[in-house]
């Protein structure tokens, strides 16, 4: 039976949304919000939740924690219970659901759905700490912790690959992640870029702030090692150009100590203040190799061009010469050269054109494209069971 032979399916009766952990509101949690927008009556499952730190829309739904959430101090130290997470997912009873949507970056996709249910996984990335970032995570540990981590992640990789067979369809957040999914799981993945809040992040006026009125460069990220804030800070050392750094994290204290006078460490700011910072920046500097990277799209939505490392998800969002420019080597020297080149010709970037490009990454587009992938998968699943 071909898919065209399958009539339009009725809406799923019950939907389960599976997310790795709900302890803040970042890109993955915004994706979960949009899934909930598609299925407002869905039930949410996660390893651990802090209701005070998630959006009212998510907090209003029934949220079931796995056994990890019942462990001591789980909200703060959930990562220490990594060894429990595969079994915890498998013990969730999802037999009442005919559609399961998993949001994967930590262990989430390994749930067991009933055979005739549809399981679509929206993958932000295969787990970084056991795959591409494993050497860096391991190097940061010492002694017995390193030995334990090596043993645990070896077993977790086996489970991660085998549990991919439980997923009917993978959807990646970028072409870069689709490639990772193929390499790690041997599966093809459609690409649906994540949503950006285009109501909050916008020009702020008909034409936006002209480049001549923009006074500083901007770096925005959680300050952890792989985000490469250190490259941004070093690139501006000795330049007669100001850089503002937004974000906190484990690297904040160290980076604050080494920052030169022209680099201002702002810490965390709220969404409204961040939008204002985007609108006042000459450019966003983005030296990380990201899975997709919501921050560049937020900046572009405010009419701000992006100077990005030319690898990873930025290749899906930044248009060279239109909404920004790329540098080829992930080093402070290459970024410094790119900043100087940009500063010499920054008048050639039009905020209105940049913002118009960013509008293609809005929430409505995300919901429409994800809905298409879900319905395609449901029809294929229905056809398989009809033919059996």
């Amino acid at each position: 039976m071909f898919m065209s032979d399958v009539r339009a399916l009725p809406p799923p009766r019950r939907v389960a949304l599976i997310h790795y952990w709900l302890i803040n509101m970042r890109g993955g949690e915004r994706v979960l919000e949009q899934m909930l927008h598609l299925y407002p009556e869905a039930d949410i499952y996660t390893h651990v939740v802090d209701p005070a730190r998630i959006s009212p829309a998510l907090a209003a739904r029934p949220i079931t924690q796995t056994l990890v959430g019942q462990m001591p101090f789980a909200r703060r130290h959930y990562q220490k219970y990594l060894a429990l997470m595969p079994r915890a997912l498998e013990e969730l009873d999802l037999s009442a659901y005919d559609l399961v949507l998993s949001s994967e970056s930590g262990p989430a996709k390994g749930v067991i759905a009933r055979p005739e249910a549809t399981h679509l996984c929206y993958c932000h990335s295969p787990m970084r700490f056991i795959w591409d970032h494993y050497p860096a995570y391991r190097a940061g540990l010492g002694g017995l912790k390193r030995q334990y981590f090596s043993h645990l992640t070896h077993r977790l990789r086996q489970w991660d690959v085998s549990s991919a067979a439980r997923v009917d369809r993978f959807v990646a957040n970028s072409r870069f992640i689709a490639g990772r999914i193929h390499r790690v799981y041997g599966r093809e993945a459609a690409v649906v870029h994540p949503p950006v809040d285009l109501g909050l992040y916008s020009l702020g006026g008909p034409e936006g702030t002209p480049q001549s009125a923009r006074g500083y460069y901007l770096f925005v990220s959680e300050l952890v090692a792989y985000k490469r804030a250190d490259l941004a800070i070093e690139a501006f050392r000795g330049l007669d150009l100001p850089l503002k750094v937004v974000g906190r994290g484990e690297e904040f204290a160290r980076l604050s100590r080494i920052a030169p006078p022209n680099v201002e460490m702002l810490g965390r700011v709220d969404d409204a203040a961040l939008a204002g910072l985007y609108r006042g920046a000459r450019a966003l500097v983005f030296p990380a190799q990201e899975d997709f990277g919501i921050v560049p799209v937020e900046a572009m939505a405010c009419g701000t061009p992006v100077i990005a490392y030319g690898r990873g998800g930025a290749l899906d969002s930044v248009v060279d010469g239109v909404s920004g420019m790329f540098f080829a080597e992930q080093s402070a020297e290459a970024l410094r050269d790119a900043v100087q080149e940009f500063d010499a010709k920054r008048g050639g970037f039009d905020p209105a054109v940049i913002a118009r490009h960013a509008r293609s990454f809005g929430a409505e587009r995300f919901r429409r494209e994800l809905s298409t992938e879900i319905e395609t998968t449901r029809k294929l699943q229905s056809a398989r069971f009809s033919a059996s």
Side-chain angles (χ1 to χ4, degrees), residues 346-365:
R346 60 191 175 93
F349 289 91
D350 185 335
V353 171
I354 295 170
R356 186 160 57 246
H357 165 67
R359 284 199 288 272
S360 64
F361 295 93
E364 289 185 8
R365 183 272 321 161

Side-chain angles (χ1 to χ4, degrees), residues 27-42:
E29 291 71 40
R30 298 300 179 189
V31 165
L32 188 68
E33 274 191 321
Q34 295 304 318
M35 290 179 174
L36 187 62
H37 192 282
L38 288 175
Y39 302 103
E41 300 303 314

Side-chain angles (χ1 to χ4, degrees), residues 19-20 26-35 38 103-105 122-125 128 171-178 190-198 201 227 286 290-298 300-301 312-318 357-370 373:
H19 193 68
Y20 35 99
R26 295 166 60 189
E29 291 71 40
R30 298 300 179 189
V31 165
L32 188 68
E33 274 191 321
Q34 295 304 318
M35 290 179 174
L38 288 175
S103 169
E104 173 80 343
S105 179
Y122 186 87
C123 188
H124 310 276
S125 174
R128 302 177 193 90
V171 175
N173 67 356
S174 68
R175 291 176 296 166
F176 178 58
I177 292 303
V191 175
V192 175
H193 297 126
V196 175
D197 186 344
L198 298 178
Y201 300 107
K227 300 289 190 177
F286 193 72
E290 276 280 20
D291 306 329
F292 173 71
I294 290 287
V295 165
V297 185
E298 291 175 349
M300 290 186 291
L315 294 173
D316 281 20
S317 62
V318 179
H357 165 67
R359 284 199 288 272
S360 64
F361 295 93
E364 289 185 8
R365 183 272 321 161
F366 171 81
R367 294 194 297 266
R368 181 177 65 252
E369 293 181 3
L370 185 63
E373 297 301 328

Side-chain angles (χ1 to χ4, degrees), residues 59-324:
R61 293 301 304 153
I63 300 178
T64 300
Q65 297 182 116
T66 70
L67 62 87
V68 172
Q70 303 166 28
M71 305 304 291
F73 309 108
R75 289 182 183 176
R76 177 170 295 185
H77 299 297
Y78 57 92
Q79 291 170 320
K80 294 181 179 179
Y81 296 111
L82 179 61
L84 300 178
M85 291 183 183
R87 180 179 173 184
L89 288 167
E90 293 173 347
E91 290 186 351
L92 293 174
D93 182 2
L94 303 182
S95 57
Y97 300 95
D98 53 355
L99 176 61
V100 174
L101 301 178
S102 57
S103 169
E104 173 80 343
S105 179
K109 73 180 190 316
V111 294
I112 299 174
R114 59 193 179 94
E116 62 272 27
T118 298
H119 180 180
L120 181 142
C121 174
Y122 186 87
C123 188
H124 310 276
S125 174
M127 287 183 280
R128 302 177 193 90
F129 51 88
I130 67 171
W131 295 109
D132 52 314
H133 293 177
Y134 170 71
Y137 275 96
R138 186 177 182 275
L141 302 173
L144 292 176
K145 286 185 177 180
R146 179 179 294 184
Q147 293 182 37
Y148 172 74
F149 185 69
S150 297
H151 174 76
L152 171 62
T153 52
H154 174 71
R155 298 297 298 271
L156 193 55
R157 287 187 203 99
Q158 295 174 324
W159 175 85
D160 190 40
V161 172
S162 66
S163 65
R166 304 171 192 173
V167 175
D168 297 304
R169 187 177 185 85
F170 279 94
V171 175
N173 67 356
S174 68
R175 291 176 296 166
F176 178 58
I177 292 303
R180 276 191 190 166
I181 290 169
H182 185 268
R183 185 170 62 252
V184 173
Y185 303 138
R187 300 282 298 275
E188 298 300 320
V191 175
V192 175
H193 297 126
V196 175
D197 186 344
L198 298 178
L200 177 62
Y201 300 107
S202 64
L203 284 172
E207 301 297 326
T209 306
Q211 272 287 347
S212 59
R214 293 168 177 249
Y216 53 86
Y217 288 83
L218 186 65
F219 175 92
V220 178
S221 177
E222 182 182 7
L223 299 183
V224 294
Y226 81 93
K227 300 289 190 177
R228 302 314 309 265
D230 59 324
L231 291 188
I233 290 170
E234 286 304 312
F236 277 79
R237 189 180 301 277
L239 290 181
D240 188 23
L241 296 169
L243 173 69
K244 296 180 184 289
V245 176
V246 173
R248 290 195 71 89
E250 61 193 37
E251 294 257 289
F252 182 82
R254 182 182 74 84
L255 294 173
S256 296
R257 287 194 298 270
I258 67 171
N262 61 321
V263 174
E264 184 180 4
M265 305 292 291
L266 298 180
R268 288 194 182 94
V269 301
D270 62 29
D271 290 341
L274 179 58
L277 286 167
Y278 282 140
R279 294 182 189 114
R282 296 182 185 182
L284 175 84
V285 293
F286 193 72
Q289 179 176 294
E290 276 280 20
D291 306 329
F292 173 71
I294 290 287
V295 165
V297 185
E298 291 175 349
M300 290 186 291
C302 296
T304 301
V306 179
I307 304 171
Y309 177 46
R311 296 284 300 274
L315 294 173
D316 281 20
S317 62
V318 179
V319 180
D320 193 21
V322 176
S323 65

